[in-house]
Amino acid sequence: MSSLSTPEKATPINSYSRSDWQQGYLSQPQEFDYPITEITGTIPPELQGTLFRNGPGLLDINGQNIHHPFDGDGMITALSIKDGKAHLKSRYVQTAGYVAEKAAGKILHRGVFGTQKAGGWLANIFDFQLKNIANTNIIYWGDRLLALWEAAQPHRLNPQTLETLGLDDLNGVLAPGAAFAAHPRIVDDRLINFAVSPGLSSKITIYEFDRAGKLLQKQNHSVPGFSFIHDFVVTENYYLFFQNPVTFNPLPFVLGMRGAGECVGFDASKPTKILVIPRKETQPENSSTTPALFSLETRAGFVFHHANAWEAGGKIYVDSICYESFPDVEPGSDFREIDFASLDPGQLWRFCLDLETGVVDRTLLEPRCCEFPTTNPQNVGKPYRYLYMGAGMQPTGNAPLQQILKLDLTTDTRQFWNAGDRCFVSEPVFVPHPQATAEDQGWVLSVVYDASRHRSDVVILDAQDFSNPVAKLHLQHHIPYGLHGSWVDRNF
Ligand code: CO
């Protein structure tokens, strides 16, 4: 069970066992619908709404292992909290691939990250039909609940039942098969998201929608070079993309020997490019004049996730989790056998962009291994003080995430909630208190996998005081490690 401890306390170098960690990547084929009755502590009555989570639910198809968790079918969990009570529902997104593979009882599609149909390269050669697995994020916007996967259209779900309604084109904005990233940003009541079509040059499309889901503006850009862009940031006047220094050799993919994601290589000799694109909100819709894009350079590094960005004193600041190198997806290797210590940790860096001089300065803010950065949603794109992340137990080195870290960026002080040696945390989600008068007044929610019970808990922390969880909701089952999700101030 979880225990409270300070990170300075002496812990063994490996505060986890890999077999414990592996159990959290066992498939969860079952779907659930039940009121949560096992609760430690008290759910705050002011906390009302729904936590939606998405992530791979199946790590094997009928015993045939998938090659990488990013290839796993999306399973949605909805935790509805009202009047101090909680109800859990989980369902698979009924993607065409999920439905077909469930019926066939075997892998029918290649995955981007190396999952192959049985039969070796002969069975996979020239098969470019990738499965839209809808497993990366879930948002509620414009009265639509949407499961996102960055390489294809979102799937729309019924928010009451989580039933899959089909592919969604966002009121005709997305063409059939169009990509739509899994990392939208909500800034000043606008949903802003992008899509990347990778190739020898990469096409980037950026969308801004109003609260009702109506498209306000759209931009298209073409940038030289292959891109692997998972996330972006938005400030008052700019969109910012980090073009990681990667190369792409499509041959092994075309020949059926590797997944497309396994053909991406990291080139540390090249800089990371930071693409700065003016938002130009005054630009009339459908204008043919596309705002100029300019790019700055910084030292090679790999970024999956940004924490936040804002403008101050003529400069742009971007806080991001940056890896020294891209963790390769090796063909033939099994992610379950990962040697954490051999990989670079994700660390929090602050990039300061001087648009006058083109100089980018970078500062390490948090050397501890961390991922899944979250802020108060009201501070997205603006100056902010508090950041919440999943973090490793040790101050250095790469490791699974077993703590929630609250970083006060003004005072450079930290609070930790330690989930316990046999527990692993997921992305923290910050929920503001309805009458909040301070940035950190609210709660931090995270799904925690407990290997000692092979079950998951949802922990609710008081964001101002991590010393003891306000409540722990004990689920009747485990949820495989998830990716992203969001909080909606509504019960459905
Ligand atoms: Co992500």
Side-chain angles (χ1 to χ4, degrees), residues 342-356:
S342 71
L343 299 173
D344 288 322
Q347 296 170 312
L348 181 71
W349 288 82
R350 174 162 295 173
F351 299 86
C352 172
L353 285 56
D354 187 327
L355 299 186
E356 291 288 312

Side-chain angles (χ1 to χ4, degrees), residues 202-206 219-223 239 277-278 290-293:
S202 304
K203 192 181 148 202
I204 299 178
T205 308
I206 307 155
Q219 290 187 19
N220 283 308
H221 296 273
S222 184
V223 296
Y239 311 113
I277 302 174
T290 304
L293 168 156

Side-chain angles (χ1 to χ4, degrees), residues 133-391:
I133 45 180
N135 74 356
T136 315
N137 201 348
I138 178 155
I139 56 164
Y140 186 77
W141 191 263
D143 280 328
R144 285 159 203 239
L145 183 65
L146 301 169
L148 306 179
W149 183 64
E150 67 195 27
Q153 274 177 258
H155 281 79
R156 184 174 179 182
L157 312 175
N158 177 324
Q160 277 105 36
T161 62
L162 300 183
E163 177 197 355
T164 302
L165 303 174
L167 289 170
D168 196 86
D169 66 3
L170 306 170
N171 294 317
V173 170
L174 300 180
F180 194 66
H183 277 285
R185 300 267 166 188
I186 296 171
V187 180
D188 297 328
D189 223 28
R190 288 174 172 217
L191 183 92
I192 308 173
N193 200 14
F194 67 98
V196 179
S197 312
L200 287 178
S201 71
S202 304
K203 192 181 148 202
I204 299 178
T205 308
I206 307 155
Y207 305 93
E208 296 203 16
F209 299 91
D210 72 7
R211 178 56 71 177
K214 181 176 171 280
L215 183 69
L216 296 172
Q217 62 176 40
K218 177 182 164 185
Q219 290 187 19
N220 283 308
H221 296 273
S222 184
V223 296
F226 177 79
S227 294
F228 187 107
I229 300 174
H230 175 68
D231 192 7
F232 80 139
V233 262
V234 181
T235 65
E236 190 186 346
N237 296 295
Y238 298 97
Y239 311 113
L240 297 125
F241 295 87
F242 278 41
Q243 195 179 10
N244 300 302
V246 292
T247 56
F248 182 68
N249 171 12
L251 257 189
F253 170 65
V254 173
L255 296 178
M257 295 154 72
R258 292 188 184 192
E262 295 172 305
C263 300
V264 175
F266 184 79
D267 184 355
S269 71
K270 300 242 167 56
T272 289
K273 283 187 191 164
I274 303 176
L275 309 174
V276 184
I277 302 174
R279 284 175 67 187
K280 289 220 174 140
E281 294 177 74
T282 51
Q283 181 187 296
E285 202 183 321
N286 300 325
S287 159
S288 57
T289 54
T290 304
L293 168 156
F294 48 104
S295 87
L296 309 178
E297 291 185 351
T298 183
R299 213 179 87 185
F302 194 92
V303 172
F304 278 113
H305 295 127
H306 300 287
N308 202 6
W310 70 100
E311 297 168 34
K315 294 186 169 127
I316 303 175
Y317 295 85
V318 186
D319 291 349
S320 312
I321 308 285
C322 190
Y323 297 79
E324 283 292 300
S325 66
F326 176 69
D328 281 331
V329 185
E330 290 292 337
S333 67
D334 186 341
F335 74 89
R336 297 161 186 85
E337 303 301 326
I338 181 177
D339 175 14
F340 281 96
S342 71
L343 299 173
D344 288 322
Q347 296 170 312
L348 181 71
W349 288 82
R350 174 162 295 173
F351 299 86
C352 172
L353 285 56
D354 187 327
L355 299 186
E356 291 288 312
T357 62
V359 171
V360 178
D361 283 324
R362 53 176 233 166
T363 319
L364 183 62
L365 298 183
E366 178 55 72
R368 181 184 296 262
C369 168
C370 48
E371 252 300 353
F372 296 122
T374 319
T375 58
N376 184 319
Q378 278 140 26
N379 293 77
V380 173
K382 300 175 173 63
Y384 73 119
R385 178 168 176 177
Y386 300 107
L387 185 60
Y388 310 90
M389 302 180 284

Side-chain angles (χ1 to χ4, degrees), residues 77-109:
T77 305
L79 178 75
S80 179
I81 298 179
K82 197 178 183 195
D83 302 328
K85 294 192 170 76
H87 189 102
L88 184 127
K89 208 173 276 181
S90 68
R91 279 189 91 166
Y92 277 88
V93 186
Q94 303 287 311
T95 67
Y98 170 81
V99 172
E101 290 184 335
K102 196 174 178 190
K106 62 178 183 181
I107 293 175
L108 298 174
H109 299 271

Side-chain angles (χ1 to χ4, degrees), residues 47 49-54 77 79 81 137-138 371-377 387-390 404-405 425-433 440-448 458-463 466 482-489:
L47 181 64
T50 309
L51 176 70
F52 287 106
R53 302 289 310 158
N54 197 351
T77 305
L79 178 75
I81 298 179
N137 201 348
I138 178 155
E371 252 300 353
F372 296 122
T374 319
T375 58
N376 184 319
L387 185 60
Y388 310 90
M389 302 180 284
I404 305 286
L405 163 57
V425 306
S426 64
E427 175 189 60
V429 173
F430 179 84
V431 182
H433 190 285
D440 63 344
Q441 195 179 349
W443 303 275
V444 173
L445 276 55
S446 179
V447 178
V448 178
V458 178
V459 63
I460 301 173
L461 301 171
D462 176 341
F466 271 20
L483 290 167
H484 302 288
S486 53
W487 174 263
V488 182
D489 280 321

